[in-house]
Amino acid sequence: MILDNIKKNWNYIKNFKMNSLFWRTFIVMSLLLIVPFVSLSIIFYARQFNTMRNEITSENAVLLSSAGNIVDDTLNECDMMSSYIATNENAQLFTLNGIDTEAFTSLINLANTLPIIYQYIDSIYVYAEDFDCVYVNGIRNPTSSITDNNWLSDYRKISNQKGSFVLRNKNDTYPSLITIIKPIYVADEKKGAVVMNINSQTLYYSLLSKRYKQDGQEFFLIDSQNQIILSKDISNFKKNISDIGFTDIDFYSKDPSDTYTMNGENYVVLRSDSSLNKYTYISMYSMSPYEENLSQAKTQLLIVSLSLLLLGFALAYVASANSYTPFREIITYLDNTSSSADNIAPRDQNELRYIINSIKLHIDDKTKMEEILKERMNMLKKAQYDMLQTQINPHFLYNTLETINWMAYDMSGDAENPVSTALVNLAGFFRNTISSSGYLISISEEIQYTTDYLSILQLRYGDLFDIKWNIDESILSFKIIKICLQPVIENAVYHGFKPKNTKGTLTISGELDDTNIIFTMSDDGVGMYTDTLSSLNTLLHESVYNDSGSHIGLANVNKRIKIIFGEAYGLSVDSRKNVGTTVKITIPAVE
C-alpha cells in the first residue's frame, strides 16, 4: 500500500513537472535552508580569498624590496669597482703608452683577484684601443687573438664616461653575462675600457635563490627593451618577457591587489624600478598553495549545501505526500470524465489550478458543442445552396454559344469575325470553369484558359492594356488550382487600368523558387493608398472567407489556395499610389 502511494505521488510529480505541489514545496524549502547558508558561504569565501591575496601581496612586496635592494647594491658595487679601475691613473697611462709598469701590474692583479672574491664576477678585461691589446686573466693578448670579443661593438658605441651595461653570451655560447663596459678617458678622449663580466646565473643563485626557494616564486630583472637579465631559468636570458607567457600583462599599470593567470596558475605580480639603467624588477608569487586550502574549504561547503538540498527534498516530499490523497481522488475523477482531448486542462498548471480549469471545461463543454454544431449546420446549408446554384447544364450552354457563333458567321460571312472569336474563347473559358476534372490542372492549361479570357478582354477594351508573359517553361507541367490567374488579371483591369484612362502594361511572370512556384503579376495602373493596401492584406490573412468588398476575386483565389495547399501559401499584394500594383501568388511545386 505504501509503495503504491509513493508510485502514484511520483506520477503526479512527473505529470505536473515544475508546477507540481512537490516542486513548489521543494523550492520553498531550498530557499529557507540553502540560500542563507550559500550566501554566508560566499561571503566567508570572498573574505578568506581577499585576506589570502593581501597576505601574499604583502609577503611578495617584502621579497621584491629585499631582492631589488640586493641586486641594486651588487650591480652598483660592480659598477663602482669598474669605475675605480677605469679612472686609475696607471690604467690611463697604460692606454697612452702601452707600457706594463709595476703599478699597472698591481692593478691587473687586483682585477684578477676580484672574480675569486666575488663568485658572480666571471672575469675582468682591460682594453687599450691604441695598442689593440687586452689583458685577460693577467695576460696581455692582441685583441684579434681572443675569442670573447663580441663586446667590442658595444664599446665603440659608448660616447660618455658613464659606460653601459650589455647582455651577452661569452664566446657567443656560455655563460650568460651582464657586462659592464666602463670606458677609460684621458683628456676627454676615449682610449680603452674596463670590461667586467658578471655571470647572470651565478649572481641569481648566490644572492636570490634562498629568498625565492618555494615553487611558484619567481624573480626577474628586465631591461628597458623587456629583455630578461636575471631569472631562475638560465634559458630565459635575453628573451623578451612576453616570450615566456607574459603576453597580456602590463607591469606598468597592474594593480598590486589583482592577480594574473599564466599557464593555468594564478600569481600575485609586483614590479619596481631599479636605480640602474631603467631596469625593472618583477616578483611573482603563486597562489596555488593557498588556493588548495580554499579549495578544501569550498568542497566542505559544497558537501554541506548538498546535504541541506537532500534534507529539503525529503521534507518537501513528506509535506506534499500528505496533500496528494484528496487531490488524487478529484483529479482521477476529472480525467475519467473528460469527453475529448480538447476538454483536458493543460498539465503545465499546478494541481489546484488543474482541478479548477477541468471543472470549468466540463461546465463549458455543452455550450461549446452546441455552438460548433450550429455553425457547421449553417455551413452545410450554404454548401447545399451553392451546389444547387452551380448545377447548370453545360450542354445547354455550349449549344447556345455554338448557335450564336453560327449566327455571327452567317451575318458576316467570315469565321474569324470578332464575335465568333469571342464566343470560341468564352466557350473554352467556361469549359474549364464547369468541367469536373478536379481542383487542379497543369499550369500550361491554366495559361491557355487565361489567354482565352484575355482575348475576350482585349476585344472588349481594345488597346486599354498590353500583356507581357515571362513564364519559365520548366514549371508548365506543375499543378495549379483552376481559375487562379484570371481573377487577378480582372482585378488589375478594373481597379488599375480603367481608372487610369491611359494605356497600361500587365506583366505576368512565373518561376520555380526552391520547392515553391511564384507567380508575379505587376501592373502600372493607378495603384492603392496605404490604408487600402493594408485593409486588403488584412483581408487576405483572415482565416474566414469574406465575400464582400471590392476585391472578392483576390480573396476567393487566396482562400482556395489555402484550402488546397495549406496556410503557408496564397496571395500577397504590394502597391503604391500612381505607380502600380504587384500581386504575388505562391503555391507549392506539385507535379
Side-chain angles (χ1 to χ4, degrees), residues 235-298:
S235 64
N236 292 333
F237 186 74
K238 291 187 71 175
K239 286 184 179 179
N240 193 288
I241 194 72
S242 62
D243 294 337
I244 63 170
F246 292 92
T247 53
D248 300 321
I249 189 168
D250 183 358
F251 298 110
Y252 298 93
S253 62
K254 190 72 174 175
D255 187 338
S257 63
D258 286 343
T259 58
Y260 174 70
T261 301
M262 187 175 73
N263 299 326
E265 190 170 349
N266 293 324
Y267 292 88
V268 171
V269 180
L270 298 177
R271 61 166 291 277
S272 68
D273 295 327
S274 170
S275 61
L276 296 170
N277 296 313
K278 297 182 180 180
Y279 289 170
T280 301
Y281 296 116
I282 299 171
S283 181
M284 299 176 58
Y285 204 115
S286 175
M287 299 177 65
S288 295
Y290 300 88
E291 288 176 337
E292 290 177 3
N293 294 332
L294 284 179
S295 178
Q296 293 177 1
K298 188 192 298 184

Side-chain angles (χ1 to χ4, degrees), residues 293-510:
N293 294 332
L294 284 179
S295 178
Q296 293 177 1
K298 188 192 298 184
T299 302
Q300 294 170 357
L301 294 175
L302 181 61
I303 292 173
V304 175
S305 299
L306 291 175
S307 301
L308 290 175
L309 191 67
L310 292 175
L311 178 62
F313 191 90
L315 292 176
Y317 181 80
V318 172
S320 59
N322 294 329
S323 304
Y324 269 128
T325 301
F327 281 148
R328 186 186 307 121
E329 295 178 1
I330 298 173
I331 293 174
T332 301
Y333 174 77
L334 292 173
D335 286 345
N336 291 335
T337 56
S338 296
S339 58
S340 67
D342 294 334
N343 197 30
I344 299 176
R347 288 293 179 127
D348 58 352
Q349 303 168 343
N350 60 58
E351 294 88 341
L352 183 58
R353 179 60 58 187
Y354 174 78
I355 292 171
I356 293 172
N357 286 345
S358 296
I359 294 173
K360 183 178 181 296
L361 288 172
H362 278 72
I363 294 173
D364 293 342
D365 184 63
K366 183 178 179 181
T367 304
K368 182 178 178 181
M369 292 302 296
E370 288 177 352
E371 291 176 354
I372 294 174
L373 180 61
K374 182 179 179 180
E375 180 184 352
R376 292 185 179 179
M377 287 298 295
N378 290 335
M379 292 173 61
L380 177 61
K381 289 179 181 179
K382 187 176 185 304
Q384 290 173 338
Y385 176 80
D386 291 341
M387 181 184 68
L388 293 172
Q389 189 176 21
T390 57
Q391 286 180 342
I392 301 174
N393 189 332
H395 294 289
F396 173 76
L397 178 62
Y398 300 152
N399 291 336
T400 302
L401 293 175
E402 186 68 18
T403 300
I404 297 173
N405 181 29
W406 280 108
M407 291 172 64
Y409 174 71
D410 288 338
M411 293 176 66
S412 65
D414 183 6
E416 301 297 328
N417 67 84
V419 175
S420 296
T421 301
L423 289 171
V424 170
N425 290 332
L426 181 61
F429 179 75
F430 276 124
R431 185 179 297 110
N432 171 49
T433 305
I434 302 172
S435 67
S436 58
S437 60
Y439 300 113
L440 302 178
I441 60 175
S442 68
I443 292 177
S444 62
E445 291 176 298
E446 175 67 12
I447 292 175
Q448 178 59 50
Y449 297 139
T450 304
T451 304
D452 293 341
Y453 173 74
L454 285 170
S455 299
I456 298 171
L457 281 183
Q458 289 181 321
L459 283 172
R460 178 178 179 184
Y461 293 107
D463 59 353
L464 180 63
F465 62 94
D466 288 332
I467 298 293
K468 291 184 179 180
W469 291 90
N470 185 19
I471 304 297
D472 186 351
E473 293 186 359
S474 65
I475 69 172
L476 295 178
S477 63
F478 290 93
K479 297 296 183 182
I480 191 172
I481 63 170
K482 287 182 181 179
I483 317 176
C484 182
L485 305 181
Q486 178 268 331
V488 182
I489 295 173
E490 185 178 13
N491 186 80
V493 173
Y494 282 95
H495 298 287
F497 297 139
K498 285 185 66 178
K500 185 178 180 181
N501 292 324
T502 58
K503 189 172 184 179
T505 301
L506 176 63
T507 303
I508 305 174
S509 302

Side-chain angles (χ1 to χ4, degrees), residues 81-270:
M81 287 188 290
S82 300
S83 297
Y84 170 76
I85 299 174
T87 56
N88 189 283
E89 61 180 7
N90 296 307
Q92 294 174 348
L93 287 173
F94 170 72
T95 60
L96 283 174
N97 53 37
I99 300 174
D100 298 341
T101 64
E102 182 178 349
F104 177 71
T105 303
S106 298
L107 185 64
I108 292 298
N109 291 334
L110 173 63
N112 292 334
T113 305
L114 291 177
I116 299 173
I117 300 173
Y118 301 98
Q119 297 179 1
Y120 47 81
I121 297 178
D122 178 83
S123 56
I124 299 176
Y125 306 156
V126 178
Y127 169 60
E129 182 176 357
D130 291 344
F131 302 98
D132 196 25
C133 63
V134 181
Y135 266 94
V136 177
N137 296 326
I139 301 173
R140 182 171 177 169
N141 302 279
T143 305
S144 58
S145 67
I146 63 170
T147 57
D148 183 28
N149 58 10
N150 56 10
W151 48 268
L152 277 170
S153 58
D154 294 289
Y155 161 77
R156 296 187 181 101
K157 298 176 184 177
I158 295 174
S159 60
N160 56 65
Q161 296 183 5
K162 185 178 179 181
S164 65
F165 282 66
V166 178
L167 306 184
R168 67 189 190 90
N169 291 314
K170 191 172 184 178
N171 299 323
D172 292 322
T173 55
Y174 180 85
S176 301
L177 301 177
I178 305 170
T179 296
I180 302 174
I181 304 176
K182 190 65 65 172
I184 299 173
Y185 273 83
V186 180
D188 295 330
E189 185 178 356
K190 187 171 65 172
K191 291 296 184 177
V194 176
V195 181
M196 180 177 288
N197 301 305
I198 302 171
N199 189 312
S200 172
Q201 195 69 6
T202 304
L203 178 65
Y204 182 94
Y205 281 102
S206 62
L207 301 180
L208 304 176
S209 60
K210 293 182 179 179
R211 286 172 172 77
Y212 288 86
K213 58 184 177 181
Q214 297 182 16
D215 291 338
Q217 292 180 344
E218 296 282 349
F219 177 86
F220 299 96
L221 173 62
I222 61 175
D223 63 12
S224 58
Q225 283 76 42
N226 289 333
Q227 291 187 104
I228 298 174
I229 301 172
L230 285 179
S231 77
K232 183 185 296 185
D233 187 353
I234 185 61
S235 64
N236 292 333
F237 186 74
K238 291 187 71 175
K239 286 184 179 179
N240 193 288
I241 194 72
S242 62
D243 294 337
I244 63 170
F246 292 92
T247 53
D248 300 321
I249 189 168
D250 183 358
F251 298 110
Y252 298 93
S253 62
K254 190 72 174 175
D255 187 338
S257 63
D258 286 343
T259 58
Y260 174 70
T261 301
M262 187 175 73
N263 299 326
E265 190 170 349
N266 293 324
Y267 292 88
V268 171
V269 180
L270 298 177

